[in-house]
PDB file of all heavy atoms in Angstrom:
ATOM      1  N   ILE A  96       6.895  25.169 -37.401  1.00 84.00           N
ATOM      2  CA  ILE A  96       8.265  25.224 -37.590  1.00 84.00           C
ATOM      3  C   ILE A  96       8.915  26.496 -36.825  1.00 84.00           C
ATOM      4  O   ILE A  96       9.897  26.507 -36.319  1.00 84.00           O
ATOM      5  CB  ILE A  96       8.593  25.265 -38.994  1.00 84.00           C
ATOM      6  CG1 ILE A  96       8.255  23.894 -39.684  1.00 84.00           C
ATOM      7  CG2 ILE A  96      10.113  25.507 -39.235  1.00 84.00           C
ATOM      8  CD1 ILE A  96       8.345  23.735 -41.120  1.00 84.00           C
ATOM      9  N   ILE A  97       8.131  27.548 -37.007  1.00 90.00           N
ATOM     10  CA  ILE A  97       8.712  28.784 -36.280  1.00 90.00           C
ATOM     11  C   ILE A  97       8.760  28.656 -34.830  1.00 90.00           C
ATOM     12  O   ILE A  97       9.803  28.948 -34.233  1.00 90.00           O
ATOM     13  CB  ILE A  97       7.686  29.995 -36.586  1.00 90.00           C
ATOM     14  CG1 ILE A  97       7.883  30.447 -38.010  1.00 90.00           C
ATOM     15  CG2 ILE A  97       8.075  31.154 -35.710  1.00 90.00           C
ATOM     16  CD1 ILE A  97       7.022  31.591 -38.343  1.00 90.00           C
ATOM     17  N   GLY A 100      11.609  26.489 -34.007  1.00 89.00           N
ATOM     18  CA  GLY A 100      12.801  27.215 -34.166  1.00 89.00           C
ATOM     19  C   GLY A 100      13.238  28.062 -33.130  1.00 89.00           C
ATOM     20  O   GLY A 100      14.246  28.186 -32.598  1.00 89.00           O
ATOM     21  N   ILE A 103      14.409  26.065 -30.096  1.00 89.00           N
ATOM     22  CA  ILE A 103      15.881  25.674 -30.388  1.00 89.00           C
ATOM     23  C   ILE A 103      16.737  26.975 -30.125  1.00 89.00           C
ATOM     24  O   ILE A 103      17.805  26.744 -29.533  1.00 89.00           O
ATOM     25  CB  ILE A 103      16.135  25.263 -31.774  1.00 89.00           C
ATOM     26  CG1 ILE A 103      15.377  23.907 -31.951  1.00 89.00           C
ATOM     27  CG2 ILE A 103      17.555  25.151 -32.132  1.00 89.00           C
ATOM     28  CD1 ILE A 103      15.510  23.429 -33.327  1.00 89.00           C
ATOM     29  N   GLY A 107      19.499  27.289 -27.327  1.00 89.00           N
ATOM     30  CA  GLY A 107      20.861  27.503 -27.685  1.00 89.00           C
ATOM     31  C   GLY A 107      21.392  28.706 -26.990  1.00 89.00           C
ATOM     32  O   GLY A 107      22.626  28.712 -26.551  1.00 89.00           O
ATOM     33  N   GLU A 110      22.234  27.683 -23.507  1.00 89.00           N
ATOM     34  CA  GLU A 110      23.273  26.695 -23.546  1.00 89.00           C
ATOM     35  C   GLU A 110      24.699  27.432 -23.554  1.00 89.00           C
ATOM     36  O   GLU A 110      25.577  27.187 -22.871  1.00 89.00           O
ATOM     37  CB  GLU A 110      23.236  25.704 -24.583  1.00 89.00           C
ATOM     38  CG  GLU A 110      24.304  24.687 -24.798  1.00 89.00           C
ATOM     39  CD  GLU A 110      24.222  23.835 -26.068  1.00 89.00           C
ATOM     40  OE1 GLU A 110      23.194  24.140 -26.795  1.00 89.00           O
ATOM     41  OE2 GLU A 110      25.163  23.051 -26.243  1.00 89.00           O
ATOM     42  N   VAL A 111      24.675  28.492 -24.544  1.00 87.00           N
ATOM     43  CA  VAL A 111      26.000  29.163 -24.812  1.00 87.00           C
ATOM     44  C   VAL A 111      26.194  30.030 -23.507  1.00 87.00           C
ATOM     45  O   VAL A 111      27.355  30.261 -23.062  1.00 87.00           O
ATOM     46  CB  VAL A 111      25.804  30.014 -26.111  1.00 87.00           C
ATOM     47  CG1 VAL A 111      26.913  31.015 -26.071  1.00 87.00           C
ATOM     48  CG2 VAL A 111      25.861  29.110 -27.176  1.00 87.00           C
ATOM     49  N   LEU A 222       7.152  18.638 -24.232  1.00 89.00           N
ATOM     50  CA  LEU A 222       6.362  17.638 -24.890  1.00 89.00           C
ATOM     51  C   LEU A 222       5.502  16.906 -24.087  1.00 89.00           C
ATOM     52  O   LEU A 222       4.263  16.531 -24.379  1.00 89.00           O
ATOM     53  CB  LEU A 222       7.497  16.725 -25.593  1.00 89.00           C
ATOM     54  CG  LEU A 222       8.346  17.172 -26.612  1.00 89.00           C
ATOM     55  CD1 LEU A 222       9.497  16.216 -27.006  1.00 89.00           C
ATOM     56  CD2 LEU A 222       7.553  17.575 -27.736  1.00 89.00           C
ATOM     57  N   ILE A 229      -3.189  17.342 -25.195  1.00 89.00           N
ATOM     58  CA  ILE A 229      -3.879  16.623 -26.079  1.00 89.00           C
ATOM     59  C   ILE A 229      -4.881  15.621 -25.324  1.00 89.00           C
ATOM     60  O   ILE A 229      -5.944  15.405 -25.829  1.00 89.00           O
ATOM     61  CB  ILE A 229      -2.914  15.847 -26.962  1.00 89.00           C
ATOM     62  CG1 ILE A 229      -2.174  16.751 -27.773  1.00 89.00           C
ATOM     63  CG2 ILE A 229      -3.755  14.788 -27.835  1.00 89.00           C
ATOM     64  CD1 ILE A 229      -1.238  15.995 -28.816  1.00 89.00           C
ATOM     65  N   ALA A 260      12.145   1.898 -16.928  1.00 81.00           N
ATOM     66  CA  ALA A 260      13.010   2.255 -18.116  1.00 81.00           C
ATOM     67  C   ALA A 260      12.188   2.985 -19.152  1.00 81.00           C
ATOM     68  O   ALA A 260      12.776   3.824 -19.785  1.00 81.00           O
ATOM     69  CB  ALA A 260      13.748   1.044 -18.708  1.00 81.00           C
ATOM     70  N   TYR A 261      10.906   2.526 -19.229  1.00 87.00           N
ATOM     71  CA  TYR A 261      10.149   3.196 -20.331  1.00 87.00           C
ATOM     72  C   TYR A 261       9.201   4.297 -19.753  1.00 87.00           C
ATOM     73  O   TYR A 261       8.218   4.643 -20.547  1.00 87.00           O
ATOM     74  CB  TYR A 261       9.316   2.008 -20.954  1.00 87.00           C
ATOM     75  CG  TYR A 261      10.165   1.333 -21.957  1.00 87.00           C
ATOM     76  CD1 TYR A 261      10.654   0.082 -21.561  1.00 87.00           C
ATOM     77  CD2 TYR A 261      10.433   1.798 -23.191  1.00 87.00           C
ATOM     78  CE1 TYR A 261      11.552  -0.661 -22.423  1.00 87.00           C
ATOM     79  CE2 TYR A 261      11.223   1.092 -24.011  1.00 87.00           C
ATOM     80  CZ  TYR A 261      11.810  -0.047 -23.704  1.00 87.00           C
ATOM     81  OH  TYR A 261      12.522  -0.810 -24.471  1.00 87.00           O
ATOM     82  N   PHE A 267       4.022   9.603 -24.574  1.00 91.00           N
ATOM     83  CA  PHE A 267       4.018   9.556 -26.072  1.00 91.00           C
ATOM     84  C   PHE A 267       3.059   8.496 -26.517  1.00 91.00           C
ATOM     85  O   PHE A 267       2.412   8.550 -27.564  1.00 91.00           O
ATOM     86  CB  PHE A 267       5.429   9.512 -26.666  1.00 91.00           C
ATOM     87  CG  PHE A 267       6.210  10.656 -26.213  1.00 91.00           C
ATOM     88  CD1 PHE A 267       7.224  10.436 -25.220  1.00 91.00           C
ATOM     89  CD2 PHE A 267       5.965  11.948 -26.598  1.00 91.00           C
ATOM     90  CE1 PHE A 267       7.999  11.516 -24.726  1.00 91.00           C
ATOM     91  CE2 PHE A 267       6.713  12.992 -26.070  1.00 91.00           C
ATOM     92  CZ  PHE A 267       7.656  12.870 -25.238  1.00 91.00           C
ATOM     93  N   LEU A 274      -4.914   9.995 -30.086  1.00 87.00           N
ATOM     94  CA  LEU A 274      -5.094  10.357 -31.457  1.00 87.00           C
ATOM     95  C   LEU A 274      -5.938   9.153 -32.081  1.00 87.00           C
ATOM     96  O   LEU A 274      -6.688   9.428 -33.103  1.00 87.00           O
ATOM     97  CB  LEU A 274      -3.861  10.624 -32.233  1.00 87.00           C
ATOM     98  CG  LEU A 274      -3.217  12.018 -31.745  1.00 87.00           C
ATOM     99  CD1 LEU A 274      -1.876  12.207 -32.435  1.00 87.00           C
ATOM    100  CD2 LEU A 274      -4.242  13.136 -32.109  1.00 87.00           C
ATOM    101  N   PHE A 275      -5.560   7.928 -31.762  1.00 88.00           N
ATOM    102  CA  PHE A 275      -6.194   6.806 -32.517  1.00 88.00           C
ATOM    103  C   PHE A 275      -7.640   6.615 -32.046  1.00 88.00           C
ATOM    104  O   PHE A 275      -8.521   6.461 -32.811  1.00 88.00           O
ATOM    105  CB  PHE A 275      -5.512   5.613 -32.251  1.00 88.00           C
ATOM    106  CG  PHE A 275      -4.231   5.301 -32.948  1.00 88.00           C
ATOM    107  CD1 PHE A 275      -3.183   4.424 -32.559  1.00 88.00           C
ATOM    108  CD2 PHE A 275      -3.996   5.984 -34.080  1.00 88.00           C
ATOM    109  CE1 PHE A 275      -2.076   4.323 -33.192  1.00 88.00           C
ATOM    110  CE2 PHE A 275      -2.826   5.747 -34.859  1.00 88.00           C
ATOM    111  CZ  PHE A 275      -1.931   4.998 -34.260  1.00 88.00           C
TER     112      PHE A 275
ATOM    113  N   PRO B 121      -5.445   5.686 -39.549  1.00 87.00           N
ATOM    114  CA  PRO B 121      -6.418   6.259 -38.622  1.00 87.00           C
ATOM    115  C   PRO B 121      -6.208   7.776 -38.539  1.00 87.00           C
ATOM    116  O   PRO B 121      -7.107   8.514 -38.388  1.00 87.00           O
ATOM    117  CB  PRO B 121      -6.291   5.525 -37.457  1.00 87.00           C
ATOM    118  CG  PRO B 121      -4.907   4.852 -37.466  1.00 87.00           C
ATOM    119  CD  PRO B 121      -4.433   4.713 -38.828  1.00 87.00           C
ATOM    120  N   TYR B 129      -3.118  16.361 -36.955  1.00 80.00           N
ATOM    121  CA  TYR B 129      -2.829  15.360 -36.053  1.00 80.00           C
ATOM    122  C   TYR B 129      -1.630  14.489 -36.335  1.00 80.00           C
ATOM    123  O   TYR B 129      -1.104  13.792 -35.458  1.00 80.00           O
ATOM    124  CB  TYR B 129      -4.082  14.544 -36.026  1.00 80.00           C
ATOM    125  CG  TYR B 129      -5.242  15.315 -35.316  1.00 80.00           C
ATOM    126  CD1 TYR B 129      -6.238  15.781 -36.196  1.00 80.00           C
ATOM    127  CD2 TYR B 129      -5.359  15.560 -34.003  1.00 80.00           C
ATOM    128  CE1 TYR B 129      -7.257  16.526 -35.632  1.00 80.00           C
ATOM    129  CE2 TYR B 129      -6.437  16.206 -33.404  1.00 80.00           C
ATOM    130  CZ  TYR B 129      -7.344  16.709 -34.380  1.00 80.00           C
ATOM    131  OH  TYR B 129      -8.388  17.363 -33.815  1.00 80.00           O
ATOM    132  N   MET B 132       1.328  15.498 -34.432  1.00 84.00           N
ATOM    133  CA  MET B 132       1.460  15.102 -33.146  1.00 84.00           C
ATOM    134  C   MET B 132       1.884  13.530 -33.057  1.00 84.00           C
ATOM    135  O   MET B 132       2.580  13.196 -32.242  1.00 84.00           O
ATOM    136  CB  MET B 132       0.163  15.392 -32.525  1.00 84.00           C
ATOM    137  CG  MET B 132      -0.424  16.770 -32.567  1.00 84.00           C
ATOM    138  SD  MET B 132      -1.951  16.953 -31.773  1.00 84.00           S
ATOM    139  CE  MET B 132      -2.674  18.351 -32.754  1.00 84.00           C
ATOM    140  N   ALA B 133       1.138  12.805 -33.945  1.00 88.00           N
ATOM    141  CA  ALA B 133       1.262  11.399 -33.915  1.00 88.00           C
ATOM    142  C   ALA B 133       2.897  11.049 -34.197  1.00 88.00           C
ATOM    143  O   ALA B 133       3.367  10.205 -33.587  1.00 88.00           O
ATOM    144  CB  ALA B 133       0.422  10.625 -34.876  1.00 88.00           C
ATOM    145  N   ILE B 139       9.700   9.832 -30.778  1.00 93.00           N
ATOM    146  CA  ILE B 139      10.286   9.728 -29.537  1.00 93.00           C
ATOM    147  C   ILE B 139      10.185   8.343 -28.833  1.00 93.00           C
ATOM    148  O   ILE B 139      11.118   7.843 -28.176  1.00 93.00           O
ATOM    149  CB  ILE B 139       9.609  10.846 -28.584  1.00 93.00           C
ATOM    150  CG1 ILE B 139       9.960  12.238 -29.031  1.00 93.00           C
ATOM    151  CG2 ILE B 139      10.094  10.651 -27.132  1.00 93.00           C
ATOM    152  CD1 ILE B 139       9.535  13.280 -28.206  1.00 93.00           C
ATOM    153  N   ARG B 147      16.708   2.039 -24.672  1.00 90.00           N
ATOM    154  CA  ARG B 147      16.585   1.173 -23.523  1.00 90.00           C
ATOM    155  C   ARG B 147      16.967  -0.337 -23.832  1.00 90.00           C
ATOM    156  O   ARG B 147      17.376  -1.057 -22.922  1.00 90.00           O
ATOM    157  CB  ARG B 147      15.182   1.216 -22.998  1.00 90.00           C
ATOM    158  CG  ARG B 147      14.701   2.640 -22.616  1.00 90.00           C
ATOM    159  CD  ARG B 147      15.129   2.983 -21.145  1.00 90.00           C
ATOM    160  NE  ARG B 147      14.608   4.243 -20.912  1.00 90.00           N
ATOM    161  CZ  ARG B 147      15.237   5.379 -20.818  1.00 90.00           C
ATOM    162  NH1 ARG B 147      16.516   5.372 -21.283  1.00 90.00           N
ATOM    163  NH2 ARG B 147      14.841   6.524 -20.527  1.00 90.00           N
ATOM    164  N   GLU B 148      16.691  -0.735 -24.982  1.00 89.00           N
ATOM    165  CA  GLU B 148      16.948  -2.209 -25.362  1.00 89.00           C
ATOM    166  C   GLU B 148      18.274  -2.508 -25.414  1.00 89.00           C
ATOM    167  O   GLU B 148      18.853  -2.769 -26.686  1.00 89.00           O
ATOM    168  CB  GLU B 148      16.160  -2.587 -26.559  1.00 89.00           C
ATOM    169  CG  GLU B 148      14.545  -2.521 -26.332  1.00 89.00           C
ATOM    170  CD  GLU B 148      14.200  -3.511 -25.273  1.00 89.00           C
ATOM    171  OE1 GLU B 148      14.778  -4.719 -25.244  1.00 89.00           O
ATOM    172  OE2 GLU B 148      13.362  -3.277 -24.462  1.00 89.00           O
ATOM    173  N   VAL B 267      12.500  22.639 -45.374  1.00 87.00           N
ATOM    174  CA  VAL B 267      11.838  23.943 -45.288  1.00 87.00           C
ATOM    175  C   VAL B 267      12.861  24.957 -45.865  1.00 87.00           C
ATOM    176  O   VAL B 267      12.431  25.889 -46.632  1.00 87.00           O
ATOM    177  CB  VAL B 267      11.389  24.221 -43.924  1.00 87.00           C
ATOM    178  CG1 VAL B 267      11.431  25.677 -43.479  1.00 87.00           C
ATOM    179  CG2 VAL B 267      10.000  23.640 -43.532  1.00 87.00           C
ATOM    180  N   ASP B 296      29.296  25.529 -30.750  1.00 72.00           N
ATOM    181  CA  ASP B 296      28.339  25.883 -29.609  1.00 72.00           C
ATOM    182  C   ASP B 296      27.008  26.621 -30.289  1.00 72.00           C
ATOM    183  O   ASP B 296      26.087  26.569 -29.585  1.00 72.00           O
ATOM    184  CB  ASP B 296      29.064  26.606 -28.526  1.00 72.00           C
ATOM    185  CG  ASP B 296      30.136  25.822 -27.915  1.00 72.00           C
ATOM    186  OD1 ASP B 296      29.912  24.519 -27.833  1.00 72.00           O
ATOM    187  OD2 ASP B 296      31.012  26.360 -27.329  1.00 72.00           O
ATOM    188  N   HIS B 299      23.001  25.386 -32.368  1.00 78.00           N
ATOM    189  CA  HIS B 299      21.631  25.567 -32.160  1.00 78.00           C
ATOM    190  C   HIS B 299      20.967  26.808 -32.351  1.00 78.00           C
ATOM    191  O   HIS B 299      19.921  26.888 -32.786  1.00 78.00           O
ATOM    192  CB  HIS B 299      21.328  24.920 -30.709  1.00 78.00           C
ATOM    193  CG  HIS B 299      21.559  23.457 -30.618  1.00 78.00           C
ATOM    194  ND1 HIS B 299      21.972  22.844 -29.383  1.00 78.00           N
ATOM    195  CD2 HIS B 299      21.538  22.465 -31.534  1.00 78.00           C
ATOM    196  CE1 HIS B 299      22.069  21.595 -29.623  1.00 78.00           C
ATOM    197  NE2 HIS B 299      21.803  21.331 -30.911  1.00 78.00           N
ATOM    198  N   MET B 300      21.736  27.747 -31.967  1.00 83.00           N
ATOM    199  CA  MET B 300      21.169  29.212 -32.056  1.00 83.00           C
ATOM    200  C   MET B 300      20.973  29.516 -33.472  1.00 83.00           C
ATOM    201  O   MET B 300      19.961  30.011 -33.988  1.00 83.00           O
ATOM    202  CB  MET B 300      22.205  30.108 -31.517  1.00 83.00           C
ATOM    203  CG  MET B 300      22.080  30.313 -29.966  1.00 83.00           C
ATOM    204  SD  MET B 300      23.280  31.437 -29.307  1.00 83.00           S
ATOM    205  CE  MET B 300      22.754  32.978 -30.095  1.00 83.00           C
ATOM    206  N   GLY B 303      17.998  27.667 -35.011  1.00 84.00           N
ATOM    207  CA  GLY B 303      16.740  28.302 -34.560  1.00 84.00           C
ATOM    208  C   GLY B 303      16.553  29.485 -35.440  1.00 84.00           C
ATOM    209  O   GLY B 303      15.470  29.742 -35.971  1.00 84.00           O
ATOM    210  N   MET B 310      11.135  30.922 -42.568  1.00 85.00           N
ATOM    211  CA  MET B 310       9.554  30.821 -42.382  1.00 85.00           C
ATOM    212  C   MET B 310       8.915  32.199 -42.526  1.00 85.00           C
ATOM    213  O   MET B 310       7.720  32.277 -42.988  1.00 85.00           O
ATOM    214  CB  MET B 310       9.145  30.078 -41.174  1.00 85.00           C
ATOM    215  CG  MET B 310       9.364  28.655 -41.290  1.00 85.00           C
ATOM    216  SD  MET B 310       8.376  27.622 -42.267  1.00 85.00           S
ATOM    217  CE  MET B 310       9.085  27.958 -43.788  1.00 85.00           C
TER     218      MET B 310
END
Side-chain angles (χ1 to χ4, degrees):
Chain A
I96 294 173
I97 287 180
I103 292 177
E110 181 187 358
V111 164
L222 292 174
I229 293 186
Y261 282 98
F267 305 104
L274 290 175
F275 282 158
Chain B
Y129 295 101
M132 306 174 207
I139 294 185
R147 303 278 185 260
E148 290 298 319
V267 151
D296 292 336
H299 288 150
M300 283 177 65
M310 288 285 80

